[in-house]
Amino acid sequence: MTKEITPRQRVMTALHSGKPDKIPFTIYKGHHISQSTSEKELRNRGLCIVERFLRSYKIHHPNVKIESKHYKDSDGKDLILTIYTTPYGDLTTLEEPFGFTTWRHEGMFKSSDDYKKILYFIKDTIVESNYDEAEKSVKDLGEDFIVIDNLPQQPMQNLVGSSYMKDEIFCIEWMDNRDEILKLYEALLVIARKIYPIVANSPIEICAYGGNVTPQIIGVENFEKYYVPNYNEAAEMLHKKGKLIGTHLDGDNTLIMSAVAKTKLDYIEAYDAGIGPSVKEAKKYWQNKVLWINYPSAWHLKPVEEVRKNTIKLIEEASPGNGFIIGITESVPEERRKQNFSAIMDGIDEVTDF
C-alpha cells in the first residue's frame, strides 16, 4: 500500500525541482483563509498552509528607545505613531493597520538631518538566534504546513517604500544624496551578513530573502549591482547547509527577468503572471528555478468556471510541471474565497499529466 503524500511533502518535492503527484496549492496562514469548515475541506484535498512570519533570530536596538502610541484620527482611523529616540534626536513613523497589512503614511526620513539618526539606529542592531521557538513552531504545525524562515529585506530594498523612506522620497534622495543612501545601504548589509549564518544553521529548511522589488523604480543596473550580489552571497552560505532560498517578486518583473536568472536563488515566490510575463515565458527565463506563483489576483473576479479553466491553463504553460507551485499570496474578496479556492483545486485535480 502506497503511503499518501502530505501537503508539506508535496511542496517540498516541488521546491527541490521534483514532480509530486499533483501541483501543490498553498495559501498564506491567517491572512487569506480563516479556520473554518471550508479550510478543513481544502486541507483534506491537499492544501498547504504557509507560515511565513517566523524568524529563527531576534533583533534588538539596545540604545534606542522605541515607543508606540495608538490613537484615532478625525476620520476614526486607527493610527500608530512610533517614536525612535537616538542620541542625535528623534525619528518617527506613522502607520495605519489595515486587515492583514499596514499602510505606511510616514517613514523615518523627513529631511537630510535624519541621515545621522537613521545610521545610528541601523548600527545599533543586535542579532541573536531564536532556534528553540522556531523548531517548536515547525513541529507543532505539522504536515499541513510549510514554514519559511525570513532574512530581512534586501539592504537596498530596505530603504525603498519602507519604514525608512517612502518610494518618492527614496527616488529624490537617490538623485540628490546618493552618498548618504549608500552609507545606509552598507550599514544594512553589515546587519544582513550577521543574519546569514544564523538562518543557515536554523532548524527551518527554507528561507525567503526579502522581495517586493519595483523594477520600474530600481532599474536593471541598480538591481544587478545592489541586489543580485546579495542574493548570491546569502545563497552560497545557505546552500552549504542544505537550505533553500528564494524571494517574493510580486510585481511586473519584465525588466529584471534576465537579471533574476543570474541569481543563485532556488525559487521565485508570489510571481504574478497576470501583470508580467506568462508562466511559459518565466519558465524559459528561469529554467533552474522553482516558480511559485500567485494565482493572478485580477482573475479572482472571473466566473468560477473560468477560475478552474485558468488554473488548468497555468499548469499547461508550466509543463513540464516539476518545480511549479500555485499559491495565494494576495487578498481575495471574502465572498469569492471558498468557491475560487475550490475551483483552483478542481483544476489541479483535473490535470493528471503535467
Side-chain angles (χ1 to χ4, degrees), residues 38 59 64 75 87 96 103 120 123 139 147 196 211 248 328:
S38 60
I59 288 178
V64 175
D75 295 322
E96 178 186 349
W103 290 347
Y120 180 89
K123 289 185 174 182
K139 289 180 179 178
V147 178
Y196 295 163
H248 179 103
I328 302 295

Side-chain angles (χ1 to χ4, degrees), residues 5 37 54 87 91 220 254 256 296 300 314 320 324-325 327 330 350:
I5 187 172
T37 301
L54 195 63
L91 297 161
V220 177
T254 304
I256 59 172
H300 284 290
L314 289 169
F324 182 64
I325 304 171
E330 302 291 345
E350 189 172 328

Side-chain angles (χ1 to χ4, degrees), residues 2 15 25 55 87 105 130 148 151 159 164 166 219 315 329 343 350-352:
T2 303
L15 283 173
F25 182 43
R55 288 185 172 182
H105 294 291
N130 188 31
I148 301 178
L151 287 166
L159 300 170
Y164 295 112
K166 298 191 74 174
I315 297 172
T329 67
E350 189 172 328
V351 182
T352 57

Side-chain angles (χ1 to χ4, degrees), residues 234-252:
E236 286 181 8
M237 189 171 294
L238 268 68
H239 287 161
K240 288 178 181 177
K241 298 293 184 176
K243 303 295 173 66
L244 298 176
I245 180 172
T247 193
H248 179 103
L249 296 181
D250 59 352
D252 180 358

Side-chain angles (χ1 to χ4, degrees), residues 4 12 29 39 66 97 131 171 255 267 290-291 330:
E4 186 176 352
M12 288 303 297
K29 177 188 174 188
E39 182 220 24
I66 303 175
Y131 292 160
C171 293
L255 291 175
Y267 68 89
V290 171
L291 186 61
E330 302 291 345

